[in-house]
Amino acid sequence: MLEKEEIISPALEDLKNHYRSIITLLGEDAEREGLLKTPERVAKAMLTLTKGYHMDPHEVLRSAKFQEEYSQMVIVKDIDFFSLCEHHMLPFYGKAHVAYIPNGYITGLSKIARVVDIFSHRLQVQERMTLQIKECIQETLNPLGVMVVVEAKHMCMQMRGVEKQNSVTTTSDFTGAFNQAKTREEFMNLIRQR
């Protein structure tokens, strides 16, 4: 059985103190039994949810970059992700679908999912995250084209403000061969198949 990853960060103590202050400012007693360990739990959660700042997605792709003459579309679809909206620090979550057309090099399939994880584990907006995933793959593998589609629900729209429970936001970005409508259509048809 795998051990739980222990959060070790020089920021942990400062974050705990800030969250203790926030709890007090909200009108709660931070010394109440149920809240005693909350500042530490929240601090550790935030460090986990933002661990992507300390990871290099380009290096992840390079660590499993292989020469291969395959030149058809490679798709990794339905990649679950969770992120934090940078405007309200509330979660948004959904699925990312990523395709690339190799140009002499491929990468390990799990590395595509790891790139999604790295960019989603930062304070984000969905539009930027979509662009960053695309650019990272394009820059690192230099494929004939990359396309990324992200579908997500945003808790900042569900819990506050407009309070729309079932809305889904879809973003996409693409390069190279995906500039051709036929190639984009092939990708969209393939990710819709269940």
Side-chain angles (χ1 to χ4, degrees), residues 95 126-127 150-154 157 166-171:
K95 294 188 182 296
Q126 183 174 332
E127 297 88 340
V150 177
E151 302 168 303
K153 289 189 170 198
H154 292 251
M157 284 184 62
N166 297 307
S167 64
V168 176
T169 301
T170 302
T171 52

Side-chain angles (χ1 to χ4, degrees), residues 70-85:
Y70 186 78
S71 61
Q72 299 301 313
M73 197 179 303
V74 176
I75 300 173
V76 183
K77 69 178 189 174
D78 295 329
I79 303 167
D80 292 317
F81 75 89
F82 299 88
S83 192
L84 289 177
C85 154

Side-chain angles (χ1 to χ4, degrees), residues 96-143:
H97 314 286
V98 179
Y100 73 100
I101 300 173
N103 185 19
Y105 290 94
I106 60 169
T107 190
L109 298 176
S110 68
K111 304 309 181 193
I112 301 292
R114 288 187 192 280
V115 167
V116 172
D117 280 347
I118 290 169
F119 286 118
S120 67
H121 280 80
R122 299 176 180 186
L123 299 180
Q124 275 291 11
V125 294
Q126 183 174 332
E127 297 88 340
R128 182 188 319 115
M129 187 178 88
T130 304
L131 173 71
Q132 288 173 329
I133 294 165
K134 178 208 70 175
E135 287 180 342
C136 177
I137 295 167
Q138 184 64 52
E139 291 167 7
T140 309
L141 298 179
N142 192 30

